[in-house]
Amino acid sequence: DLSALTSVAALDAAIERCVEVKHGIGGLYVYRGLFAAQLYHCFKSVPKNRMLVLDSGLLKSDPTVAMERIHAHLGLEPFDYVANLGTTTADLGRIFDKWYPSFEARTGWKIDGGYDPMPTEIRKHLAEFYKPFNEMLFGVVGETYQWQ
């Protein structure tokens, strides 16, 4: 029972016993939502200050700010993405098709976000399930995100 776990370390240990990740997590839907455990696992190899964790909502609501944070973290010069690459989903799709053609298959994430609406009861059940794990995530990254 994952909901009884009270620390990220305990969650990570439970997942290690149950989940075998070989070639990406595209099809591991419950695990994909356990962000704190994934980060904890990464932090075993990569120092926390070397990783940047962004709320995906920021990429949609204010992509310029998101990209500025990414550039600052990586020590890159500013870049005007809108002027140089465009702003539409189609523009982004062309870039991903050129530079990362297996993106959707490897990550399970759609650029266009064209998912069917989730039934209310399922959304409620998943929000309740993930709530303690999201709280762990917020503690790990030092930020609180508004999504559920």
Side-chain angles (χ1 to χ4, degrees):
D1 179 18
L2 291 179
S3 64
L5 301 173
T6 59
S7 74
V8 179
L11 175 61
D12 182 62
I15 290 170
E16 286 290 323
R17 290 190 303 273
C18 301
V19 178
E20 184 176 349
V21 178
K22 290 184 179 180
H23 304 291
I25 60 172
L28 302 173
Y29 298 107
V30 172
Y31 178 70
R32 283 173 46 191
L34 299 172
F35 305 117
Q38 293 174 48
L39 286 172
Y40 179 83
H41 192 69
C42 290
F43 294 152
K44 292 177 183 177
S45 302
V46 179
K48 188 175 179 180
N49 67 344
R50 302 277 319 247
M51 293 188 77
L52 174 66
V53 179
L54 286 177
D55 180 355
S56 62
L58 183 62
L59 288 167
K60 289 184 179 191
S61 67
D62 199 342
T64 301
V65 169
M67 294 310 296
E68 287 171 355
R69 285 185 62 190
I70 292 167
H71 278 248
H73 180 76
L74 295 174
L76 300 173
E77 295 291 323
F79 182 80
D80 188 344
Y81 285 89
V82 173
N84 290 289
L85 300 176
T87 61
T88 68
T89 299
D91 294 331
L92 186 58
R94 282 191 293 278
I95 293 164
F96 272 77
D97 288 344
K98 179 178 179 180
W99 297 103
Y100 193 6
S102 62
F103 176 77
E104 188 174 323
R106 292 183 62 94
T107 66
W109 188 72
K110 290 184 178 183
I111 293 170
D112 65 6
Y115 301 99
D116 292 333
M118 184 183 301
T120 304
E121 280 301 308
I122 292 174
R123 178 172 291 284
K124 180 181 174 188
H125 178 75
L126 289 172
E128 289 172 9
F129 172 80
Y130 283 111
K131 184 176 181 174
F133 308 118
N134 289 340
E135 294 299 323
M136 286 181 189
L137 169 68
F138 304 150
V140 168
V141 299
E143 292 184 66
T144 300
Y145 305 141
Q146 299 306 310
W147 44 259
Q148 291 188 36

